[in-house]
Amino acid sequence: MNYFKKILSSLITIFIVSLIIFLLFELLPGDPVLTRLGVETDPILEARLRKEFGLNSPLYIRFFKWCFQVLKGNLGNSFSYSGYTVLELIKSRVFTTFIITVTTLIIVLVTSIPLGTFLAKNNKIRFFKFLKVFSQIGFSIPTFWIAIILIYIFSLKLKLLPTLGTINWNRYPITSMKSLILPVLTLSISKVPLVSHYLCNSMIEESTKDYVRVAKSKGLNQNEIYRNHILRNSLISVITIIGMITIYLITGTIIIENVFALPGLGTLLMEGINRKDYPLVQGIVLYISLAVILINFFIDIAYSIIDPRIRKGKEKK
Amino acid sequence: MKKKIITALIALSLLSLGGCKDEKIEDDTRMVIPIKVGFNSIAPDTDVSAATKEVIRNINSGLIKFDPDSKTLIPALAESYEIKNDGKTYVFKLKDNLKFHNGKNITSEDVKYSFERISGINTGKPIVGEWSKNLEGVNIVDDKTVEINIKDKEKSSSDIYNIADVSIIPNKMSEAELEKTPIGAGPYKFVEYIPGQKIVLEAFENYYLGAPEIKEVEFKVYKEGAGRLLSFKNGEIDFLPLNSETFKEIQKEKNIEIVSSLGNDVNILYLNNSFKPFQDKRVKQAIWQGIDIDRIINSLSLPTSEKLYTHMSPYLKEFYEKGLEKNYPYNPEKAKELLKEAGYSDLKFSITTISENTFENDLALFIKEDLSKIGVDVSINPIPWGQYLPEVYKGHKYEAALLRVAGYPDPKRILQRYETNYSSNMGNYSNKKVDALLIEATKSYDQQRKIEIYKEIQKLLNEDIASIYLIDQGVAVALSPKYTGYKTYPFAFIDVSTIKLKKNKQ
């Protein structure tokens, strides 16, 4: 029942988001036909494209037409890439964004959990307090700045990695892999301090709780207490942060994709907005909404795995 | 165990960093060229935007073409041509052994199909609006000779330029095929296209002028910015369009060749005649004389740029009217006097610019600063191109506006913008004499007479201050040290076939 409610509310959210985007696009100044034709507009071509794009019908008809089309699994044709469907365009870009997201997440998890634990354990030592301040600086630096510094070191000075992203897995698999190293590194550098900082704070807080004292009095050693009790309870707050990071990554890291000229979803979304290509923008927004809902769903599951009390609490209801 | 995993991970990452070689073929015959935006369509002539044309022109070829050296039209796929029936009929004779990228021979059938496609005669779906109005029909005389007939009412001496723009494609090739795998007769064959990302082309061995030296070229979408310069210096891109800043930066490098020329584009400060103060010529003159264009060129522009006095760049030498230079020199004192005389000593107006164009926004700041010295209060109103196009360019809703107006090889197309009823007459300019001269030029097939007419129009535009003409910014491109020989065009075209390998030259 609970899940049914959740799915229903998600569908309503998607519908409302789509409607808002549709209306916003209508309010924005500019015209998709003129944007496409540019200065060399011609009344004959304008009329032809307006008909092809279906712009002659009123807004509500266009919106409901779009909704029915989506229900049939068709996101429509792009205005700005003639001959290509929105789905084809999203498919061609989603893989890059997916790889960046997954690799960054793995790096963030693998690095920040031990790091956060280590910082929390050694919280009393002055040097580690300094490290915590340092991590705060780490997540305050804008990502594009980190990107530029990394490009300077790894591309220009060491000549190890390309500055320019080439993604073509069939023709150049190694170059494609190399192209993703700096973007992933940039994103990881900005996210690892954030997650480890949160984890560290949360663990310090947990370590003052009664059950820790009880565990200590039972004679358990510090490592065991940290691993089996404190870390587990602290992970709950970290999962929320990880969820937010995942949503940030999956929605297309516009800045990073731009800096490294990577063909991901973020750049596709920007192109769609600039060219007033509303089928494309609607399609990407729909995809993003679905991704956000799915991530929230997985976070829920993760909560209940880590903390059985949450699962049991739900069962009682 | 943990240690082993960590060691393995480090080893793996090191391997990926240094162990494997880049596949970017170290071969000099492969170039990567950055472009600003993705294309709307790669089918020949479908997308009219400059960003697409500059690339797609490498795939296609027309019957005749513009030659950047002589600055005239010369035969391309055609061996020769003849204009008959007072400009109604154009007879083209094709060269021998012409081939399309798919190996098929080019015949009159293909020429007929290409012209009918573009005008939408058979399909009702015109590709270029003007052709749907102009084309009466195409007759096949024999396998290698075609007659293109223009409608009597529409025929003009500019038709030859329009003919040069029509890409010849294989007979019966559908739009869907052309959208996904275009075939033409240009110097480069289509290989791969990923929308919004890149297009890869390969040299065409049977090109009628011989196969180009650059065997493969990848046009890659890569927005302007610091990253481009870094990638160029790092050898990842081989071609870099320059602005004044990157020009200075690249100039320091010894081995890098910079190709520069006038651009034939005109930067204009449009003063809308429907805004009352601009109906007074003295106000317009005061603004012109109040702007220090030399200072703008020295601080903002490429060294190749040139001051303008009318809507024509000296790029098209033959048509350019010299001698207008002395009319409105920078003179702030005179400007103040003129404003006082006209009764506008506290004039205020806004300049609308395209927010995406850094150059024009900087230009607006310079103008604002200069005009404040003569007591004119300018506000700058930057709006996105998507809004500028319908409101300012088409709707003429602005007081003053900055625009870089693209040039063409055909002066008629440049100066037509001043015809009273022309939709892109952005300044709402109207002069019966100019209208009459434009019609006369359209009807005249005598080159000398046309030159006289276009010069006369330029004089009138300068005299009436139809707009304030600022500069031809020029174009400059840096080539990586391996290449040479690149040629610029007076319209959007990165002609890769002109690029040669330096080592072949030495």
Side-chain angles (χ1 to χ4, degrees), chain B residues 232-462:
Chain B
F232 180 76
K233 285 190 169 176
N234 212 23
E236 291 165 65
I237 52 176
D238 305 295
F239 183 97
L240 183 72
L242 303 172
N243 56 29
S244 63
E245 273 167 45
T246 44
F247 190 96
K248 279 174 208 150
E249 185 68 33
I250 290 291
Q251 232 180 358
K252 293 180 206 154
E253 317 263 330
K254 276 182 201 150
N255 298 324
I256 293 175
E257 187 174 317
I258 295 179
V259 182
S260 61
S261 76
L262 281 170
N264 199 30
D265 289 354
V266 175
N267 272 93
I268 297 182
L269 174 64
Y270 276 102
L271 301 177
N272 196 340
N273 283 316
S274 57
F275 180 62
K276 202 171 164 264
F278 296 151
Q279 285 161 2
D280 190 328
K281 190 186 158 183
R282 286 169 299 186
V283 175
K284 295 199 272 188
Q285 188 179 341
I287 293 172
W288 201 333
Q289 295 202 258
I291 301 173
D292 187 354
I293 299 174
D294 285 321
R295 185 176 75 113
I296 290 174
I297 290 183
N298 290 334
S299 342
L300 268 190
S301 201
L302 287 166
T304 42
S305 53
E306 194 133 349
K307 244 202 279 192
L308 297 182
Y309 310 92
T310 174
H311 194 142
M312 187 75 105
S313 153
Y315 181 93
L316 292 177
K317 270 187 242 157
E318 224 184 343
F319 297 99
Y320 180 68
E321 170 64 15
K322 285 184 207 126
L324 300 171
E325 293 85 357
K326 52 194 178 305
N327 289 356
Y328 312 105
Y330 176 58
N331 187 344
E333 289 312 312
K334 174 93 199 254
K336 275 189 222 165
E337 267 172 44
L338 282 164
L339 282 173
K340 211 172 161 189
E341 226 179 278
Y344 287 106
S345 38
D346 57 346
L347 181 67
K348 272 184 193 170
F349 66 89
S350 70
I351 298 181
T352 309
T353 60
I354 302 162
S355 54
E356 295 97 319
N357 292 3
T358 324
F359 181 82
E360 264 107 73
N361 286 304
D362 291 346
L363 194 60
L365 285 173
F366 270 78
I367 293 173
K368 181 185 162 79
E369 203 179 291
D370 280 346
L371 293 185
S372 73
K373 288 179 198 155
I374 59 163
V376 176
D377 182 11
V378 171
S379 58
I380 301 168
N381 172 32
I383 56 173
W385 174 236
Q387 188 181 351
Y388 189 100
L389 188 60
E391 277 179 21
V392 180
Y393 190 79
K394 294 208 85 186
H396 309 163
K397 282 182 212 131
Y398 68 96
E399 290 172 0
L402 275 171
L403 187 66
R404 176 178 179 169
V405 183
Y408 299 97
D410 176 13
K412 147 96 192 289
R413 229 168 137 182
I414 298 173
L415 297 174
Q416 195 181 357
R417 298 165 176 277
Y418 295 92
E419 196 187 309
T420 308
N421 295 322
Y422 190 65
S423 65
S424 304
N425 178 354
M426 223 177 97
N428 288 328
Y429 175 76
S430 177
N431 181 337
K432 281 186 184 141
K433 211 168 163 190
V434 170
D435 291 348
L437 284 168
L438 280 167
I439 293 172
E440 198 190 332
T442 304
K443 285 185 178 160
S444 171
Y445 289 80
D446 172 1
Q447 183 73 353
Q448 210 41 52
R449 177 63 196 135
K450 272 169 69 174
I451 292 174
E452 279 167 27
I453 294 172
Y454 292 131
K455 286 190 169 177
E456 183 62 30
I457 295 176
Q458 290 171 62
K459 277 188 212 160
L460 288 169
L461 293 180
N462 179 275

Side-chain angles (χ1 to χ4, degrees), chain B residues 110-126:
Chain B
D110 304 304
V111 177
K112 182 177 160 73
Y113 179 74
S114 305
F115 277 82
E116 286 177 348
R117 164 189 178 256
I118 211 149
S119 62
I121 272 190
N122 303 326
T123 55
K125 278 191 175 177

Side-chain angles (χ1 to χ4, degrees), chain A residues 145-185:
Chain A
W145 183 243
I146 300 175
I148 290 173
I149 290 173
L150 289 181
I151 289 178
Y152 181 78
I153 299 171
F154 287 100
S155 305
L156 293 183
K157 289 290 149 197
L158 300 175
K159 305 240 177 255
L160 281 175
L161 294 168
T163 63
L164 180 61
T166 294
I167 304 293
N168 193 336
W169 297 100
N170 299 333
R171 278 172 75 127
Y172 313 118
I174 294 167
T175 315
S176 303
M177 210 167 80
K178 278 185 165 185
S179 299
L180 292 179
I181 294 177
L182 282 186
V184 166
L185 207 58

